[in-house]
Amino acid sequence: MLWITRHRLTVEQLEPLYLAAIGAGTLALALGTVLSKKVAAGQDLIAAVTLQFMASGLVLLPLAWGLEGFRLEAHPALWGSLAYSVAVSLASTLLMLWLLRHGQASSASSFHFLNPFFGTLFAVTLLGETMYADDLLGVLPIALGIALVAWKR
């Protein structure tokens, strides 16, 4: 993941607080994947997704409010980005839960390693970011790892 994102990292993003947040997010993602397999096993997918979004919102709201304050600037860009975030989050969570229901947690969670690459593709497509040739090389070990996890099962 660092291979793909290294061209876009700034010194400010490597501060210990930010690195700790990245580590906490990665740990939460791994823990959430394992717990989702157990919790979502007998539930409707929409109910499971709703539960996940509500839980994450309750966890993040005090942190966001404490660090950023509570303000809303109703701008078309806000509503567009919010609609995009909701659509992508809902689709990816439903896909993740479907993968969890039909396979192993390790197989399903291995697809998360593609997030930096897809984020880069979206940034190139929607924001005009630069795509570096070695960004594509960064996907090869990820794809190989996913193939190995799937093949092993």
Side-chain angles (χ1 to χ4, degrees), residues 140-151:
L140 293 177
I142 295 169
L144 179 62
I146 292 171
L148 289 173
V149 167
W151 178 63

Side-chain angles (χ1 to χ4, degrees), residues 63-152:
L63 182 63
W65 199 337
L67 293 174
E68 297 290 328
F70 187 76
R71 67 180 187 281
L72 176 66
E73 297 175 21
H75 189 275
L78 167 71
W79 301 116
S81 65
L82 185 59
Y84 171 82
S85 295
V86 167
V88 168
S89 294
L90 184 60
S92 63
T93 303
L94 286 171
L95 176 61
M96 176 69 171
L97 289 172
W98 185 87
L99 288 169
L100 284 171
R101 189 167 281 171
H102 293 88
Q104 299 270 340
S106 60
S107 297
S109 66
S110 65
F111 284 93
H112 281 294
F113 292 111
L114 289 171
N115 286 345
F117 179 69
F118 285 121
T120 300
L121 284 181
F122 282 133
V124 168
T125 306
L126 300 175
L127 304 174
E129 293 275 336
T130 303
M131 173 68 88
Y132 298 95
D134 56 351
D135 288 343
L136 299 174
L137 292 175
V139 177
L140 293 177
I142 295 169
L144 179 62
I146 292 171
L148 289 173
V149 167
W151 178 63
K152 184 178 176 186

